[in-house]
Short mmCIF file of all heavy atoms in Angstrom, two decimals:
data_model
loop_
_atom_site.label_atom_id
_atom_site.label_comp_id
_atom_site.label_asym_id
_atom_site.label_seq_id
_atom_site.Cartn_x
_atom_site.Cartn_y
_atom_site.Cartn_z
N MET A 135 -11.14 -29.88 -8.12
CA MET A 135 -10.32 -29.69 -6.96
C MET A 135 -10.14 -31.04 -6.26
O MET A 135 -11.12 -31.72 -5.99
CB MET A 135 -11.00 -28.68 -6.03
CG MET A 135 -10.08 -28.08 -5.03
SD MET A 135 -10.86 -26.77 -4.03
CE MET A 135 -11.50 -25.67 -5.25
N LYS A 136 -8.89 -31.40 -6.01
CA LYS A 136 -8.66 -32.71 -5.43
C LYS A 136 -8.88 -32.70 -3.92
O LYS A 136 -8.72 -31.68 -3.25
CB LYS A 136 -7.27 -33.23 -5.78
CG LYS A 136 -6.14 -32.47 -5.16
CD LYS A 136 -4.81 -33.08 -5.54
CE LYS A 136 -3.71 -32.38 -4.75
NZ LYS A 136 -2.45 -33.01 -4.85
N GLU A 137 -9.23 -33.85 -3.42
CA GLU A 137 -9.50 -34.05 -2.00
C GLU A 137 -8.20 -33.93 -1.20
O GLU A 137 -7.18 -34.51 -1.57
CB GLU A 137 -10.08 -35.45 -1.83
CG GLU A 137 -10.67 -35.74 -0.49
CD GLU A 137 -12.06 -35.18 -0.32
OE1 GLU A 137 -12.73 -34.89 -1.33
OE2 GLU A 137 -12.47 -35.03 0.83
N PRO A 138 -8.19 -33.18 -0.09
CA PRO A 138 -6.98 -33.11 0.73
C PRO A 138 -6.65 -34.48 1.33
O PRO A 138 -7.55 -35.22 1.73
CB PRO A 138 -7.32 -32.10 1.83
CG PRO A 138 -8.73 -31.72 1.66
CD PRO A 138 -9.26 -32.36 0.43
N LYS A 139 -5.35 -34.80 1.38
CA LYS A 139 -4.92 -36.10 1.88
C LYS A 139 -4.59 -36.09 3.37
O LYS A 139 -4.46 -37.15 3.97
CB LYS A 139 -3.69 -36.57 1.10
CG LYS A 139 -3.96 -36.81 -0.35
CD LYS A 139 -2.70 -37.20 -1.08
CE LYS A 139 -3.01 -37.30 -2.57
NZ LYS A 139 -1.80 -37.27 -3.38
N ASN A 140 -4.43 -34.90 3.94
CA ASN A 140 -4.09 -34.81 5.35
C ASN A 140 -4.57 -33.46 5.89
O ASN A 140 -5.11 -32.64 5.14
CB ASN A 140 -2.58 -34.99 5.56
CG ASN A 140 -1.76 -34.04 4.71
OD1 ASN A 140 -2.00 -32.84 4.69
ND2 ASN A 140 -0.78 -34.58 3.99
N GLU A 141 -4.38 -33.22 7.17
CA GLU A 141 -4.87 -31.99 7.79
C GLU A 141 -4.15 -30.75 7.26
O GLU A 141 -4.74 -29.68 7.17
CB GLU A 141 -4.80 -32.07 9.31
CG GLU A 141 -5.85 -33.00 9.87
CD GLU A 141 -6.01 -32.88 11.37
OE1 GLU A 141 -5.19 -32.21 12.04
OE2 GLU A 141 -6.97 -33.48 11.88
N TYR A 142 -2.86 -30.89 6.92
CA TYR A 142 -2.14 -29.74 6.38
C TYR A 142 -2.76 -29.32 5.04
O TYR A 142 -3.03 -28.14 4.82
CB TYR A 142 -0.65 -30.05 6.21
CG TYR A 142 0.10 -28.89 5.61
CD1 TYR A 142 0.49 -27.82 6.40
CD2 TYR A 142 0.38 -28.84 4.24
CE1 TYR A 142 1.16 -26.73 5.86
CE2 TYR A 142 1.05 -27.76 3.69
CZ TYR A 142 1.43 -26.71 4.50
OH TYR A 142 2.08 -25.63 3.96
N GLU A 143 -2.99 -30.27 4.16
CA GLU A 143 -3.62 -29.95 2.87
C GLU A 143 -5.02 -29.39 3.08
O GLU A 143 -5.45 -28.50 2.34
CB GLU A 143 -3.67 -31.19 1.97
CG GLU A 143 -2.31 -31.58 1.43
CD GLU A 143 -2.38 -32.76 0.46
OE1 GLU A 143 -3.48 -33.23 0.12
OE2 GLU A 143 -1.29 -33.21 0.04
N ALA A 144 -5.73 -29.90 4.07
CA ALA A 144 -7.07 -29.38 4.38
C ALA A 144 -6.98 -27.93 4.84
O ALA A 144 -7.82 -27.10 4.48
CB ALA A 144 -7.76 -30.24 5.43
N LEU A 145 -5.95 -27.60 5.63
CA LEU A 145 -5.75 -26.23 6.08
C LEU A 145 -5.49 -25.31 4.90
O LEU A 145 -6.11 -24.25 4.78
CB LEU A 145 -4.59 -26.17 7.09
CG LEU A 145 -4.16 -24.77 7.54
CD1 LEU A 145 -5.30 -24.02 8.20
CD2 LEU A 145 -2.96 -24.87 8.47
N VAL A 146 -4.59 -25.71 4.01
CA VAL A 146 -4.29 -24.90 2.83
C VAL A 146 -5.56 -24.69 2.01
O VAL A 146 -5.87 -23.56 1.59
CB VAL A 146 -3.18 -25.55 1.97
CG1 VAL A 146 -3.02 -24.81 0.65
CG2 VAL A 146 -1.87 -25.58 2.73
N MET A 147 -6.32 -25.75 1.80
CA MET A 147 -7.55 -25.66 1.02
C MET A 147 -8.58 -24.74 1.69
O MET A 147 -9.18 -23.89 1.02
CB MET A 147 -8.15 -27.05 0.83
CG MET A 147 -9.40 -27.09 0.00
SD MET A 147 -9.08 -26.89 -1.75
CE MET A 147 -8.14 -28.35 -2.06
N ALA A 148 -8.76 -24.89 2.99
CA ALA A 148 -9.73 -24.05 3.69
C ALA A 148 -9.34 -22.58 3.62
O ALA A 148 -10.19 -21.71 3.39
CB ALA A 148 -9.85 -24.49 5.15
N LEU A 149 -8.06 -22.29 3.81
CA LEU A 149 -7.59 -20.90 3.71
C LEU A 149 -7.81 -20.36 2.30
O LEU A 149 -8.30 -19.23 2.12
CB LEU A 149 -6.10 -20.82 4.07
CG LEU A 149 -5.75 -21.02 5.54
CD1 LEU A 149 -4.25 -21.22 5.70
CD2 LEU A 149 -6.23 -19.85 6.38
N ALA A 150 -7.46 -21.14 1.31
CA ALA A 150 -7.61 -20.70 -0.08
C ALA A 150 -9.07 -20.45 -0.43
O ALA A 150 -9.39 -19.44 -1.07
CB ALA A 150 -7.00 -21.73 -1.03
N LEU A 151 -9.93 -21.35 -0.01
CA LEU A 151 -11.35 -21.17 -0.30
C LEU A 151 -11.93 -19.96 0.44
O LEU A 151 -12.77 -19.24 -0.11
CB LEU A 151 -12.13 -22.43 0.05
CG LEU A 151 -11.87 -23.63 -0.86
CD1 LEU A 151 -12.52 -24.88 -0.30
CD2 LEU A 151 -12.33 -23.35 -2.28
N ALA A 152 -11.47 -19.74 1.65
CA ALA A 152 -11.97 -18.60 2.43
C ALA A 152 -11.61 -17.28 1.76
O ALA A 152 -12.45 -16.38 1.67
CB ALA A 152 -11.41 -18.64 3.85
N VAL A 153 -10.38 -17.15 1.28
CA VAL A 153 -9.97 -15.87 0.69
C VAL A 153 -10.37 -15.71 -0.76
O VAL A 153 -10.38 -14.59 -1.27
CB VAL A 153 -8.45 -15.61 0.85
CG1 VAL A 153 -8.06 -15.57 2.30
CG2 VAL A 153 -7.63 -16.61 0.09
N SER A 154 -10.74 -16.80 -1.42
CA SER A 154 -11.13 -16.68 -2.82
C SER A 154 -12.65 -16.67 -3.00
O SER A 154 -13.13 -16.51 -4.12
CB SER A 154 -10.53 -17.81 -3.65
OG SER A 154 -11.05 -19.07 -3.24
N ALA A 155 -13.38 -16.81 -1.91
CA ALA A 155 -14.84 -16.84 -2.01
C ALA A 155 -15.37 -15.51 -2.53
O ALA A 155 -14.92 -14.45 -2.09
CB ALA A 155 -15.46 -17.14 -0.64
N PRO A 156 -16.29 -15.57 -3.47
CA PRO A 156 -16.86 -14.32 -3.99
C PRO A 156 -17.67 -13.59 -2.92
O PRO A 156 -18.18 -14.21 -1.99
CB PRO A 156 -17.78 -14.78 -5.13
CG PRO A 156 -17.81 -16.26 -5.09
CD PRO A 156 -16.84 -16.74 -4.09
N VAL A 157 -17.74 -12.29 -3.07
CA VAL A 157 -18.53 -11.48 -2.15
C VAL A 157 -19.97 -11.95 -2.23
O VAL A 157 -20.49 -12.23 -3.31
CB VAL A 157 -18.42 -9.98 -2.53
CG1 VAL A 157 -19.33 -9.13 -1.67
CG2 VAL A 157 -16.98 -9.52 -2.42
N GLY A 158 -20.60 -12.05 -1.10
CA GLY A 158 -22.02 -12.42 -1.07
C GLY A 158 -22.28 -13.88 -0.77
O GLY A 158 -23.43 -14.28 -0.70
N VAL A 159 -21.23 -14.68 -0.57
CA VAL A 159 -21.49 -16.08 -0.23
C VAL A 159 -21.69 -16.25 1.27
O VAL A 159 -22.02 -17.33 1.73
CB VAL A 159 -20.40 -17.05 -0.75
CG1 VAL A 159 -20.39 -17.07 -2.25
CG2 VAL A 159 -19.07 -16.75 -0.18
N GLY A 160 -21.48 -15.19 2.01
CA GLY A 160 -21.81 -15.15 3.42
C GLY A 160 -21.23 -16.25 4.28
O GLY A 160 -20.04 -16.31 4.50
N ASN A 161 -22.10 -17.11 4.76
CA ASN A 161 -21.72 -18.12 5.74
C ASN A 161 -20.71 -19.13 5.22
O ASN A 161 -19.95 -19.69 5.99
CB ASN A 161 -22.95 -18.84 6.27
CG ASN A 161 -23.78 -17.97 7.17
OD1 ASN A 161 -23.31 -16.94 7.67
ND2 ASN A 161 -25.02 -18.34 7.38
N LYS A 162 -20.69 -19.40 3.94
CA LYS A 162 -19.76 -20.39 3.41
C LYS A 162 -18.31 -19.95 3.62
O LYS A 162 -17.47 -20.74 4.04
CB LYS A 162 -20.04 -20.66 1.94
CG LYS A 162 -21.39 -21.32 1.72
CD LYS A 162 -21.40 -22.16 0.50
CE LYS A 162 -22.77 -22.68 0.21
NZ LYS A 162 -23.13 -23.86 0.92
N ALA A 163 -18.01 -18.69 3.36
CA ALA A 163 -16.66 -18.18 3.59
C ALA A 163 -16.34 -18.20 5.07
O ALA A 163 -15.25 -18.60 5.48
CB ALA A 163 -16.52 -16.77 3.02
N LYS A 164 -17.28 -17.80 5.90
CA LYS A 164 -17.08 -17.82 7.36
C LYS A 164 -16.86 -19.24 7.84
O LYS A 164 -16.01 -19.48 8.70
CB LYS A 164 -18.28 -17.20 8.06
CG LYS A 164 -18.25 -17.40 9.57
CD LYS A 164 -18.33 -16.12 10.33
CE LYS A 164 -18.41 -16.29 11.82
NZ LYS A 164 -17.43 -17.13 12.46
N ASP A 165 -17.59 -20.19 7.28
CA ASP A 165 -17.40 -21.60 7.66
C ASP A 165 -15.98 -22.05 7.34
O ASP A 165 -15.36 -22.78 8.12
CB ASP A 165 -18.40 -22.50 6.94
CG ASP A 165 -19.82 -22.32 7.44
OD1 ASP A 165 -20.02 -21.71 8.51
OD2 ASP A 165 -20.75 -22.80 6.73
N MET A 166 -15.45 -21.63 6.20
CA MET A 166 -14.08 -22.00 5.82
C MET A 166 -13.07 -21.36 6.77
O MET A 166 -12.09 -21.98 7.15
CB MET A 166 -13.78 -21.60 4.38
CG MET A 166 -14.38 -22.51 3.34
SD MET A 166 -13.71 -24.18 3.41
CE MET A 166 -15.08 -25.06 4.14
N VAL A 167 -13.31 -20.10 7.15
CA VAL A 167 -12.43 -19.44 8.11
C VAL A 167 -12.45 -20.18 9.44
O VAL A 167 -11.39 -20.46 10.03
CB VAL A 167 -12.82 -17.96 8.30
CG1 VAL A 167 -12.07 -17.32 9.47
CG2 VAL A 167 -12.59 -17.17 7.03
N ASP A 168 -13.63 -20.52 9.90
CA ASP A 168 -13.75 -21.25 11.17
C ASP A 168 -13.04 -22.60 11.10
O ASP A 168 -12.33 -22.99 12.03
CB ASP A 168 -15.22 -21.47 11.53
CG ASP A 168 -15.94 -20.17 11.88
OD1 ASP A 168 -15.26 -19.16 12.14
OD2 ASP A 168 -17.18 -20.18 11.88
N TYR A 169 -13.21 -23.30 10.00
CA TYR A 169 -12.56 -24.60 9.81
C TYR A 169 -11.04 -24.44 9.77
O TYR A 169 -10.30 -25.21 10.39
CB TYR A 169 -13.09 -25.27 8.54
CG TYR A 169 -12.55 -26.65 8.29
CD1 TYR A 169 -12.61 -27.64 9.26
CD2 TYR A 169 -11.98 -26.97 7.07
CE1 TYR A 169 -12.11 -28.92 9.02
CE2 TYR A 169 -11.48 -28.24 6.82
CZ TYR A 169 -11.56 -29.21 7.80
OH TYR A 169 -11.06 -30.47 7.56
N ALA A 170 -10.57 -23.42 9.06
CA ALA A 170 -9.13 -23.17 8.97
C ALA A 170 -8.56 -22.85 10.34
O ALA A 170 -7.48 -23.34 10.70
CB ALA A 170 -8.85 -22.02 8.00
N GLU A 171 -9.26 -22.05 11.13
CA GLU A 171 -8.79 -21.74 12.48
C GLU A 171 -8.71 -23.00 13.34
O GLU A 171 -7.76 -23.18 14.11
CB GLU A 171 -9.70 -20.70 13.14
CG GLU A 171 -9.52 -19.32 12.56
CD GLU A 171 -10.48 -18.29 13.14
OE1 GLU A 171 -11.45 -18.68 13.83
OE2 GLU A 171 -10.25 -17.10 12.91
N GLU A 172 -9.70 -23.86 13.21
CA GLU A 172 -9.72 -25.12 13.96
C GLU A 172 -8.52 -25.99 13.57
O GLU A 172 -7.83 -26.53 14.43
CB GLU A 172 -11.03 -25.85 13.66
CG GLU A 172 -11.25 -27.11 14.44
CD GLU A 172 -12.59 -27.74 14.08
OE1 GLU A 172 -13.61 -27.03 14.06
OE2 GLU A 172 -12.59 -28.96 13.80
N LEU A 173 -8.27 -26.10 12.28
CA LEU A 173 -7.13 -26.89 11.81
C LEU A 173 -5.81 -26.26 12.23
O LEU A 173 -4.88 -26.95 12.65
CB LEU A 173 -7.18 -27.03 10.29
CG LEU A 173 -8.26 -27.94 9.73
CD1 LEU A 173 -8.37 -27.75 8.22
CD2 LEU A 173 -7.97 -29.39 10.06
N ALA A 174 -5.70 -24.95 12.10
CA ALA A 174 -4.46 -24.25 12.41
C ALA A 174 -4.05 -24.43 13.87
O ALA A 174 -2.85 -24.43 14.18
CB ALA A 174 -4.59 -22.76 12.08
N ALA A 175 -5.02 -24.61 14.74
CA ALA A 175 -4.71 -24.80 16.16
C ALA A 175 -3.84 -26.02 16.40
O ALA A 175 -3.14 -26.10 17.40
CB ALA A 175 -6.00 -24.89 16.97
N GLY A 176 -3.85 -26.97 15.47
CA GLY A 176 -3.06 -28.18 15.62
C GLY A 176 -1.65 -28.09 15.06
O GLY A 176 -0.91 -29.07 15.10
N PHE A 177 -1.27 -26.92 14.54
CA PHE A 177 0.04 -26.75 13.92
C PHE A 177 0.82 -25.63 14.62
O PHE A 177 0.23 -24.73 15.20
CB PHE A 177 -0.11 -26.39 12.44
CG PHE A 177 -0.69 -27.50 11.60
CD1 PHE A 177 -2.02 -27.49 11.24
CD2 PHE A 177 0.10 -28.54 11.18
CE1 PHE A 177 -2.56 -28.50 10.47
CE2 PHE A 177 -0.42 -29.57 10.41
CZ PHE A 177 -1.76 -29.55 10.05
N ASP A 178 2.14 -25.68 14.49
CA ASP A 178 2.96 -24.60 15.03
C ASP A 178 2.87 -23.39 14.09
O ASP A 178 2.39 -23.50 12.96
CB ASP A 178 4.41 -25.04 15.24
CG ASP A 178 5.10 -25.48 13.95
OD1 ASP A 178 5.08 -24.71 12.97
OD2 ASP A 178 5.66 -26.59 13.93
N ALA A 179 3.31 -22.25 14.59
CA ALA A 179 3.18 -20.98 13.84
C ALA A 179 3.89 -21.03 12.50
O ALA A 179 3.37 -20.50 11.50
CB ALA A 179 3.71 -19.83 14.69
N GLU A 180 5.05 -21.64 12.44
CA GLU A 180 5.81 -21.72 11.19
C GLU A 180 5.04 -22.51 10.12
O GLU A 180 4.98 -22.11 8.95
CB GLU A 180 7.17 -22.37 11.44
CG GLU A 180 8.06 -22.40 10.22
CD GLU A 180 9.43 -22.99 10.54
OE1 GLU A 180 9.96 -22.74 11.63
OE2 GLU A 180 9.95 -23.70 9.67
N THR A 181 4.42 -23.59 10.53
CA THR A 181 3.65 -24.41 9.59
C THR A 181 2.42 -23.65 9.11
O THR A 181 2.08 -23.71 7.93
CB THR A 181 3.25 -25.74 10.25
OG1 THR A 181 4.45 -26.41 10.68
CG2 THR A 181 2.47 -26.63 9.31
N VAL A 182 1.77 -22.92 10.00
CA VAL A 182 0.60 -22.13 9.61
C VAL A 182 1.01 -21.05 8.62
O VAL A 182 0.30 -20.82 7.63
CB VAL A 182 -0.11 -21.53 10.85
CG1 VAL A 182 -1.21 -20.56 10.43
CG2 VAL A 182 -0.68 -22.63 11.74
N GLU A 183 2.14 -20.41 8.83
CA GLU A 183 2.62 -19.39 7.89
C GLU A 183 2.91 -20.00 6.53
O GLU A 183 2.61 -19.40 5.50
CB GLU A 183 3.85 -18.67 8.44
CG GLU A 183 3.55 -17.76 9.62
CD GLU A 183 2.50 -16.70 9.30
OE1 GLU A 183 2.58 -16.05 8.24
OE2 GLU A 183 1.57 -16.52 10.12
N ARG A 184 3.50 -21.19 6.51
CA ARG A 184 3.76 -21.88 5.24
C ARG A 184 2.44 -22.20 4.54
O ARG A 184 2.31 -22.02 3.32
CB ARG A 184 4.57 -23.15 5.49
CG ARG A 184 5.08 -23.77 4.20
CD ARG A 184 5.98 -24.96 4.46
NE ARG A 184 5.14 -26.11 4.77
CZ ARG A 184 5.29 -26.91 5.82
NH1 ARG A 184 6.27 -26.72 6.68
NH2 ARG A 184 4.49 -27.92 6.01
N ALA A 185 1.45 -22.65 5.30
CA ALA A 185 0.13 -22.95 4.73
C ALA A 185 -0.51 -21.69 4.16
O ALA A 185 -1.13 -21.74 3.09
CB ALA A 185 -0.77 -23.58 5.79
N LYS A 186 -0.36 -20.57 4.84
CA LYS A 186 -0.91 -19.30 4.34
C LYS A 186 -0.28 -18.93 2.99
O LYS A 186 -0.98 -18.49 2.08
CB LYS A 186 -0.67 -18.17 5.34
CG LYS A 186 -1.54 -18.22 6.56
CD LYS A 186 -1.17 -17.05 7.46
CE LYS A 186 -1.89 -17.02 8.75
NZ LYS A 186 -1.48 -15.88 9.60
N ALA A 187 1.03 -19.11 2.89
CA ALA A 187 1.72 -18.79 1.64
C ALA A 187 1.22 -19.69 0.51
O ALA A 187 0.95 -19.22 -0.61
CB ALA A 187 3.23 -18.94 1.82
N GLU A 188 1.08 -20.98 0.78
CA GLU A 188 0.56 -21.90 -0.24
C GLU A 188 -0.88 -21.56 -0.59
O GLU A 188 -1.28 -21.63 -1.76
CB GLU A 188 0.65 -23.34 0.26
CG GLU A 188 2.05 -23.89 0.29
CD GLU A 188 2.09 -25.35 0.70
OE1 GLU A 188 1.18 -26.12 0.31
OE2 GLU A 188 3.03 -25.72 1.42
N ALA A 189 -1.66 -21.19 0.42
CA ALA A 189 -3.07 -20.86 0.18
C ALA A 189 -3.22 -19.61 -0.68
O ALA A 189 -4.15 -19.52 -1.49
CB ALA A 189 -3.79 -20.66 1.51
N THR A 190 -2.31 -18.67 -0.54
CA THR A 190 -2.35 -17.46 -1.36
C THR A 190 -2.21 -17.81 -2.83
O THR A 190 -2.94 -17.29 -3.69
CB THR A 190 -1.22 -16.49 -0.93
OG1 THR A 190 -1.42 -16.14 0.44
CG2 THR A 190 -1.21 -15.24 -1.79
N ILE A 191 -1.29 -18.71 -3.13
CA ILE A 191 -1.09 -19.16 -4.51
C ILE A 191 -2.31 -19.93 -5.01
O ILE A 191 -2.80 -19.70 -6.11
CB ILE A 191 0.19 -20.01 -4.61
CG1 ILE A 191 1.41 -19.14 -4.31
CG2 ILE A 191 0.30 -20.67 -5.98
CD1 ILE A 191 2.68 -19.92 -4.04
N LYS A 192 -2.81 -20.84 -4.17
CA LYS A 192 -3.97 -21.65 -4.55
C LYS A 192 -5.20 -20.77 -4.76
O LYS A 192 -5.98 -20.99 -5.69
CB LYS A 192 -4.23 -22.72 -3.50
CG LYS A 192 -5.33 -23.71 -3.91
CD LYS A 192 -5.46 -24.84 -2.94
CE LYS A 192 -4.39 -25.86 -3.05
NZ LYS A 192 -4.23 -26.53 -4.32
N ALA A 193 -5.38 -19.76 -3.91
CA ALA A 193 -6.53 -18.86 -4.06
C ALA A 193 -6.46 -18.11 -5.38
O ALA A 193 -7.49 -17.92 -6.05
CB ALA A 193 -6.59 -17.87 -2.89
N ALA A 194 -5.27 -17.67 -5.77
CA ALA A 194 -5.10 -16.99 -7.06
C ALA A 194 -5.47 -17.94 -8.20
O ALA A 194 -6.11 -17.51 -9.17
CB ALA A 194 -3.67 -16.49 -7.21
N GLU A 195 -5.08 -19.20 -8.09
CA GLU A 195 -5.44 -20.19 -9.11
C GLU A 195 -6.95 -20.37 -9.17
O GLU A 195 -7.54 -20.44 -10.26
CB GLU A 195 -4.76 -21.52 -8.82
CG GLU A 195 -3.26 -21.50 -8.99
CD GLU A 195 -2.58 -22.76 -8.47
OE1 GLU A 195 -3.27 -23.67 -7.95
OE2 GLU A 195 -1.34 -22.83 -8.58
N ILE A 196 -7.59 -20.45 -8.01
CA ILE A 196 -9.05 -20.63 -7.96
C ILE A 196 -9.74 -19.44 -8.62
O ILE A 196 -10.70 -19.63 -9.38
CB ILE A 196 -9.52 -20.78 -6.50
CG1 ILE A 196 -9.03 -22.14 -5.93
CG2 ILE A 196 -11.04 -20.68 -6.39
CD1 ILE A 196 -9.21 -22.27 -4.42
N ARG A 197 -9.26 -18.24 -8.34
CA ARG A 197 -9.87 -17.03 -8.92
C ARG A 197 -9.50 -16.84 -10.38
O ARG A 197 -10.11 -16.04 -11.08
CB ARG A 197 -9.43 -15.80 -8.13
CG ARG A 197 -10.03 -15.67 -6.75
CD ARG A 197 -9.71 -14.33 -6.13
NE ARG A 197 -8.29 -14.04 -6.16
CZ ARG A 197 -7.44 -14.19 -5.12
NH1 ARG A 197 -7.90 -14.66 -3.99
NH2 ARG A 197 -6.18 -13.89 -5.24
N GLY A 198 -8.44 -17.54 -10.84
CA GLY A 198 -8.00 -17.37 -12.22
C GLY A 198 -7.11 -16.17 -12.41
O GLY A 198 -6.97 -15.67 -13.53
N ASP A 199 -6.49 -15.71 -11.32
CA ASP A 199 -5.58 -14.56 -11.40
C ASP A 199 -4.33 -14.94 -12.19
O ASP A 199 -3.96 -16.10 -12.27
CB ASP A 199 -5.14 -14.10 -10.00
CG ASP A 199 -6.30 -13.54 -9.19
OD1 ASP A 199 -7.38 -13.32 -9.75
OD2 ASP A 199 -6.10 -13.31 -7.98
N GLU A 200 -3.66 -13.92 -12.68
CA GLU A 200 -2.37 -14.11 -13.33
C GLU A 200 -1.37 -14.57 -12.28
O GLU A 200 -1.43 -14.10 -11.14
CB GLU A 200 -1.88 -12.81 -13.95
CG GLU A 200 -2.70 -12.37 -15.14
CD GLU A 200 -2.55 -13.29 -16.33
OE1 GLU A 200 -1.43 -13.74 -16.60
OE2 GLU A 200 -3.56 -13.57 -16.99
N PRO A 201 -0.47 -15.46 -12.63
CA PRO A 201 0.56 -15.88 -11.67
C PRO A 201 1.42 -14.70 -11.24
O PRO A 201 1.68 -13.80 -12.04
CB PRO A 201 1.40 -16.90 -12.42
CG PRO A 201 0.72 -17.15 -13.70
CD PRO A 201 -0.33 -16.11 -13.91
N LEU A 202 1.85 -14.71 -9.98
CA LEU A 202 2.72 -13.66 -9.47
C LEU A 202 4.11 -13.83 -10.05
O LEU A 202 4.59 -14.94 -10.19
CB LEU A 202 2.80 -13.73 -7.94
CG LEU A 202 1.49 -13.52 -7.19
CD1 LEU A 202 1.70 -13.78 -5.70
CD2 LEU A 202 0.98 -12.11 -7.40
N ALA A 203 4.73 -12.72 -10.38
CA ALA A 203 6.11 -12.78 -10.88
C ALA A 203 7.02 -13.15 -9.73
O ALA A 203 6.85 -12.66 -8.63
CB ALA A 203 6.50 -11.42 -11.46
N SER A 204 7.95 -14.03 -9.98
CA SER A 204 8.88 -14.41 -8.91
C SER A 204 9.91 -13.32 -8.75
O SER A 204 10.36 -12.69 -9.69
CB SER A 204 9.53 -15.75 -9.21
OG SER A 204 10.14 -15.72 -10.47
N ALA A 205 10.30 -13.11 -7.49
CA ALA A 205 11.24 -12.03 -7.18
C ALA A 205 12.66 -12.49 -7.33
O ALA A 205 13.04 -13.56 -7.34
CB ALA A 205 11.01 -11.56 -5.75
#
């Protein structure tokens, strides 16, 4: 996993890691949620929504899910 180059990439990464964390990792997932919330506070709502969409794709990649079919 490559290092984020800016706060937006860090937000996407934190969101992706938070939602892809396996059950039972406890505080690590919560730490990512807390970090994502802290980062999101510095962005407008539209940017946060875009980051969430990117994080959904990245989380699927982390978990090894099948790619979503494009609509």
